[in-house]
Amino acid sequence: NLYLNQRVYAESPLIPRAEWMACQSDDRLEDGSEIYCGLDLSKRSDLTALVAVSAGDDDIVRSWFWKPKDMIREHERIDRVPYSVWVKEGHIDAVPGRGIEYDWVAVRLGELAKQYRIVGIAYDRKYIDDLLSAMTRVGLEAYKDSGSGPPVGIGDGAIRMVDWGQGYVSMAPAVDALEMSVLNRKLKHDGNPCLTWNMSNAMTDMDPAGGRKFNKSKTRFRIDGAVALAMALGLKSRDMMAGYGPSVYNEREGFLTL
């Protein structure tokens, strides 16, 4: 189990490192562009991840991470990654204290809502009520999408929140969407080292029908960014199949698909 004195896993990650690095690109999200987001709210002392993907043909990725400042040194030792360096380089936001107050995440979502057009945010239902309360405190309107559109009385600028289960039913198509995006080189990421590390840790289980979901118990390291990215791509894929989502101009046919 040793390779150059480093322990390695007997199982391979969902996305091999070479495939992931081949998707690194200088493409960036443009201001005003439509995006889908995936949000993995982990325990308040752990890593929280928000990942956005463009709503167009390509999957241009941008990611944000939060980590409690007072836990950085301890978790560097446990996870064996340079969190403090990533904080200095702007890849992770180190928030004061030993736990993450979700107001920090809510404020970032408000900034993104001004910079981009958020089509929807896929979320793991754990801790989501705490985040929605934080969004209310910072004056950010949101609603849980039940499939029938915004409730009566919700403003046009309210953020659509989509419950994304972590079992096979929801995660299998999300994992497929992530894998196909990488293999077809549609995915374009900026090389964020925290997201790259999360992707290298991401392993899956398979059900009898061939569906896959992430299994956090297979690795001792974090995969929050991988989960958030898969949810964002899964929601984008689901909306496209359902005919829901952003308005896209079809240059060949010359019309808008809604």
Side-chain angles (χ1 to χ4, degrees):
N1 288 334
L2 293 178
Y3 182 72
L4 291 179
N5 298 319
Q6 298 183 56
R7 289 202 174 273
V8 297
Y9 291 110
E11 297 186 61
S12 299
L14 170 67
I15 306 296
R17 181 177 177 83
E19 294 288 344
W20 176 255
M21 298 311 296
C23 292
Q24 187 166 342
S25 168
D26 292 331
D27 290 79
R28 298 292 183 266
L29 293 174
E30 296 182 0
D31 289 353
S33 59
E34 294 175 317
I35 61 172
Y36 283 93
C37 295
L39 180 62
D40 188 18
L41 294 170
S42 300
K43 294 179 181 178
R44 291 180 182 267
S45 62
D46 287 339
L47 189 69
T48 286
L50 172 68
V51 179
V53 298
S54 58
D57 290 336
D58 289 330
D59 299 323
I60 301 174
V61 175
R62 188 178 175 188
S63 54
W64 298 265
F65 295 91
W66 291 266
K67 192 81 175 170
K69 185 176 181 180
D70 292 352
M71 303 296 290
I72 293 290
R73 292 298 183 186
E74 178 181 344
H75 285 185
E76 278 187 328
R77 177 180 55 81
I78 295 172
D79 294 342
R80 301 177 185 177
V81 291
Y83 284 126
S84 57
V85 174
W86 293 347
V87 169
K88 291 179 181 178
E89 294 176 346
H91 303 301
I92 295 179
D93 287 339
V95 300
R98 296 179 59 83
I100 299 172
E101 295 295 335
Y102 292 142
D103 295 64
W104 293 92
V105 181
V107 168
R108 175 67 72 183
L109 288 174
E111 293 171 350
L112 297 183
K114 294 178 180 178
Q115 187 174 5
Y116 308 107
R117 296 175 59 192
I118 301 177
V119 182
I121 299 177
Y123 65 87
D124 177 359
R125 66 179 61 95
K126 190 182 295 185
Y127 312 121
I128 192 62
D129 289 334
D130 291 339
L131 175 65
L132 291 174
S133 296
M135 293 171 73
T136 298
R137 286 195 296 272
V138 301
L140 191 59
E141 193 173 25
Y143 69 95
K144 293 182 179 180
D145 185 8
S146 61
S148 57
V152 176
I154 294 294
D156 292 337
I159 297 178
R160 171 187 172 224
M161 308 290 291
V162 181
D163 187 346
W164 201 270
Q166 301 301 293
Y168 288 109
V169 172
S170 294
M171 288 307 300
V175 169
D176 288 345
L178 170 57
E179 184 177 55
M180 291 306 298
S181 181
V182 171
L183 293 178
N184 291 331
R185 298 295 186 264
K186 290 179 60 179
L187 191 141
K188 299 179 179 180
H189 66 84
D190 60 3
N192 184 308
C194 190
L195 180 58
T196 296
W197 174 60
N198 284 181
M199 291 300 303
S200 71
N201 299 327
M203 300 181 188
T204 57
D205 284 336
M206 182 179 293
D207 68 7
R212 292 170 296 176
K213 67 172 184 171
F214 291 111
N215 185 338
K216 293 188 177 183
S217 67
K218 282 189 175 181
T219 174
R220 56 170 291 200
F221 298 118
R222 318 291 180 185
I223 65 170
D224 309 271
V227 173
L229 175 56
M231 289 194 293
L233 289 167
L235 179 57
K236 176 180 176 178
S237 177
R238 179 193 290 179
D239 275 5
M240 291 178 65
M241 289 189 291
Y244 180 95
S247 300
V248 180
Y249 183 74
N250 186 320
E251 295 182 357
R252 185 183 64 183
E253 300 294 341
F255 59 84
L256 288 173
T257 56
L258 302 178

